[in-house]
Amino acid sequence: MPGSTDSPVAVGAAASAGVGAAAGSEATVQIELWSLARASLGAPDAGSAAVRFGPQCDGPVALAAIDGLLLAAGRDRDDQIGVFAGRPGDLHRVGAIEAGPDDVAVVVDLVRLHQRWHLFGCCPEGRTTHHVSDDLVRWERRSEIDRSFPAFGVSGVAAVADQLLLAGRVVVDRSAYGWGLLACDGEAFEARPAPVPLSSQLTVVGPISNAAGDVTLLLDSGTNHTIARSTGRGWTLSLLTPVMVPSAVLVIDDAVWMAGRAPDRDQATLARVGGQHLDEVGPSSHGLIRKAVAIDGTIVFARESR
C-alpha cells in the first residue's frame, strides 16, 4: 500500500448522522500492569524477566510517562476510574473520575497538553468521552466533542506540538463507516487529513509522535499491515516490518516501537518498527499488550489477564 494522500476527512458530516459503535465487551477484560527492564530486550529470557505490579483494572488502562513520572488510569471501582501516579512498581492512587460504566465504558488514552491532563474514553454507545484536570486529582467532564463530532469513537490520542491528535471510528446508525482523525487545541475539535480514505475498514493503532513532531499510525486490514507516517505534509504509507499484528505503539529513545503478536502466534511481543527482531514479553499464559510506555530504563505495559 505505498503512496501518500493529504485530502481532508469529512468526519463532521458523517458524525451528524448517527452515534458511535458500542464499546463492546472490552470493558470487562481484566488488565494488569507489568514492567520490563529495557536491558532485557533481545535476551532469551526476556519473557520471564517481566514483573507484575500495581492495580488490576476492569477494562482497558491508559498509560503515560512524562518527566520521569508514570501515570495510569483505569476502572478500579464500579463508580470510579482511578488515576495513579508514581514510579514503575510504586504507583499510588492520586485521583479519581466519578463515572460508572454507563458513563465511560472504555478508557482509551491519557495525555497532557499545555499543562492540562486529558483523559479520553468511550461511552457504551461508542461516543467519545473527554475529561480534563490540572492536578490529576479533580476532573471535569467536557462536552465539546459530543456537540461537534457526536459519532466519533476515539481509539487513540497523541500530543503533537501544540495540539492533540485523535484517531477514531466514525459510525452511522451503529454501522462502522471507516475512521478519521481529529485535532484539538485543548478546547475545540476539527477534522484533519487522514492517510487513507474514510471508507477503509481498518484497525488503527496510534497515533504516536516523536520529539520532532512526526506522527506514526499502524494500520491493520487483517491481511495487510501498514505504517503511515506524517511530517506535517500529508502521509506516506509503507509495509510494516517486522511482520506482526500490532496492538499498541510506543516511543523508545525517539524510535517507534510496537507491541502485539506474530501472525502465527498468540504470545505478546515487542519490536522496533522497521527492525528485524521480535521480543516475547511476559508469561505466555497472559494475553495481549493493550498499552505500553517507556520510562527511563523500563518498559511498562498494560496486558490482558487470562
Side-chain angles (χ1 to χ4, degrees):
M1 299 170 60
S4 65
T5 178
D6 57 2
S7 59
V9 179
V11 178
S16 64
V19 297
S25 59
E26 220 180 322
T28 62
V29 175
Q30 294 291 307
I31 299 292
E32 298 176 341
L33 298 183
W34 291 77
S35 65
L36 177 72
R38 281 168 47 187
S40 299
L41 293 177
D45 61 346
S48 61
V51 177
R52 192 177 73 83
F53 71 97
Q56 185 180 68
C57 294
D58 294 328
V61 172
L63 295 176
I66 295 181
D67 299 331
L69 188 67
L70 175 66
L71 289 305
R75 183 167 302 283
D76 62 341
R77 301 177 187 174
D78 288 344
D79 60 346
Q80 290 185 353
I81 296 169
V83 180
F84 304 85
R87 300 288 300 170
D90 189 28
L91 284 183
H92 301 278
R93 198 177 197 262
V94 297
I97 297 174
E98 301 286 343
D102 291 341
D103 296 317
V104 180
V106 175
V107 174
V108 174
D109 263 324
L110 177 65
V111 293
R112 187 174 70 174
L113 181 71
H114 302 151
Q115 304 304 311
R116 171 165 286 186
W117 291 97
H118 298 257
L119 181 69
F120 289 92
C122 287
C123 69
E125 292 78 23
R127 298 188 302 272
T128 300
T129 61
H130 181 202
H131 290 79
V132 299
S133 174
D134 293 324
D135 58 8
L136 295 172
V137 178
R138 294 171 293 274
W139 291 83
E140 175 189 353
R141 174 79 176 259
R142 291 294 178 88
S143 58
E144 174 56 34
I145 195 168
D146 294 326
R147 292 191 292 267
S148 54
F149 297 96
F152 186 86
V154 65
S155 61
V157 186
V160 183
D162 60 349
Q163 66 179 6
L164 301 175
L165 183 65
L166 290 73
R169 290 281 186 186
V170 178
V171 175
V172 179
D173 294 332
R174 297 183 179 271
S175 297
Y177 188 64
W179 62 277
L181 299 175
L182 300 180
C184 175
D185 60 4
E187 299 291 340
F189 294 83
E190 60 181 359
R192 278 288 183 262
V196 290
L198 180 65
S199 59
S200 296
Q201 300 300 306
L202 299 169
T203 296
V204 179
V205 179
I208 198 164
S209 175
N210 64 9
D214 300 335
V215 179
T216 297
L217 289 166
L218 305 182
L219 313 177
D220 181 8
S221 70
T223 55
N224 292 315
H225 311 293
T226 308
I227 179 171
R229 295 185 177 94
S230 174
T231 59
R233 298 183 177 181
W235 293 86
T236 299
L237 295 120
S238 57
L239 294 179
L240 180 64
T241 57
V243 178
M244 63 183 291
V245 181
S247 59
V249 64
L250 68 157
V251 169
I252 302 176
D253 294 336
D254 216 33
V256 179
W257 286 62
M258 58 184 168
R261 62 176 179 82
D264 58 346
R265 300 197 62 185
D266 198 28
Q267 169 68 30
T269 303
L270 282 172
R272 182 175 62 83
V273 173
Q276 301 295 324
H277 184 71
L278 300 178
D279 278 290
E280 295 185 349
V281 296
S284 59
S285 59
H286 284 62
L288 288 179
I289 295 170
R290 293 303 180 184
K291 291 289 180 181
V293 295
I295 175 170
D296 298 332
T298 302
I299 298 171
V300 174
F301 48 93
R303 189 176 185 185
E304 294 177 1
S305 173
R306 289 179 174 168

